[in-house]
Amino acid sequence: MIIETDYGTVDYSEKDLITFSDGLFGFPDLKRYLLLSLDEEAEDNLMLVMISVDEPRIGFVIVNPLFLCPDYAPVLTPEELACLGVKDNDELAYYAICSMRSNYLDNTVNLKCPVVINPETHCGIQVILENSSYDYRHEMRSFPAVVDSAYAEDEGANETC
């Protein structure tokens, strides 16, 4: 199958789709998504674009929260784990939705409501982590990994000039 997105034409098959039986918060009718890499040459999937195949104009930039916050440890309820068909949090992939700004250090990530995917079944849910210290808006500049990366890029730019 082929889908036209803001990122170009994407050829995909049903096995590539992530299915959210309840949709995402604010988008209950959009249930099927593709994960697209922002950097085709990157070996990791730190940042992805999650595009709705039901409405290709709708997409989300998502980030692996463990890159930003290595001690990120969401705890799902037994019902949420059962919904995803697993017994343990470690069997799942977690992503935080980003709100994008013109200065990427002003971008925010939502660690309180991660997108959770079972990589084996390609099923996902978005949850609200109850009783956690995570917030809805964490600025990118608040994470040492981002600041260190930005500093290294600035230093590298200065060295080449």
Side-chain angles (χ1 to χ4, degrees), residues 92-136:
L92 302 168
Y94 291 86
Y95 294 95
I97 294 179
C98 299
S99 293
M100 307 304 286
R101 309 282 192 266
S102 58
N103 176 351
Y104 79 95
L105 290 174
D106 292 334
N107 293 348
T108 61
V109 293
N110 182 344
L111 296 179
K112 180 83 168 174
C113 302
V115 170
V116 187
I117 298 171
N118 180 331
E120 295 296 318
T121 64
H122 289 243
C123 291
I125 59 174
Q126 186 176 19
V127 299
I128 298 174
L129 299 174
E130 300 295 331
N131 303 318
S132 77
S133 62
Y134 304 120
D135 202 358
Y136 298 102

Side-chain angles (χ1 to χ4, degrees), residues 9-143:
T9 302
V10 178
D11 191 8
Y12 71 96
S13 67
E14 284 291 325
K15 69 176 179 56
D16 298 326
L17 296 177
I18 306 296
T19 303
F20 296 86
S21 59
D22 295 328
L24 298 175
F25 300 150
F27 301 90
D29 297 331
L30 304 180
K31 300 184 184 302
R32 301 175 313 141
Y33 291 84
L34 278 173
L35 299 181
L36 305 176
S37 178
L38 281 172
D39 183 357
E40 294 295 327
E41 296 178 17
E43 292 181 21
D44 53 32
N45 286 327
L46 293 178
M47 291 192 86
L48 300 168
V49 176
M50 189 168 69
I51 300 285
S52 167
V53 297
D54 301 313
E55 180 54 63
R57 295 179 301 139
I58 305 294
F60 303 92
V61 174
I62 58 175
V63 62
N64 181 334
L66 291 172
F67 168 71
L68 301 172
C69 185
D71 60 347
Y72 186 68
V75 176
L76 300 186
T77 67
E79 295 81 13
E80 291 164 341
L81 292 171
C83 179
L84 290 164
V86 299
K87 295 184 193 283
D88 191 282
N89 284 308
D90 295 337
E91 300 175 59
L92 302 168
Y94 291 86
Y95 294 95
I97 294 179
C98 299
S99 293
M100 307 304 286
R101 309 282 192 266
S102 58
N103 176 351
Y104 79 95
L105 290 174
D106 292 334
N107 293 348
T108 61
V109 293
N110 182 344
L111 296 179
K112 180 83 168 174
C113 302
V115 170
V116 187
I117 298 171
N118 180 331
E120 295 296 318
T121 64
H122 289 243
C123 291
I125 59 174
Q126 186 176 19
V127 299
I128 298 174
L129 299 174
E130 300 295 331
N131 303 318
S132 77
S133 62
Y134 304 120
D135 202 358
Y136 298 102
R137 288 190 182 103
H138 293 269
E139 285 189 339
M140 287 291 211
R141 71 176 75 253
S142 69
F143 299 106

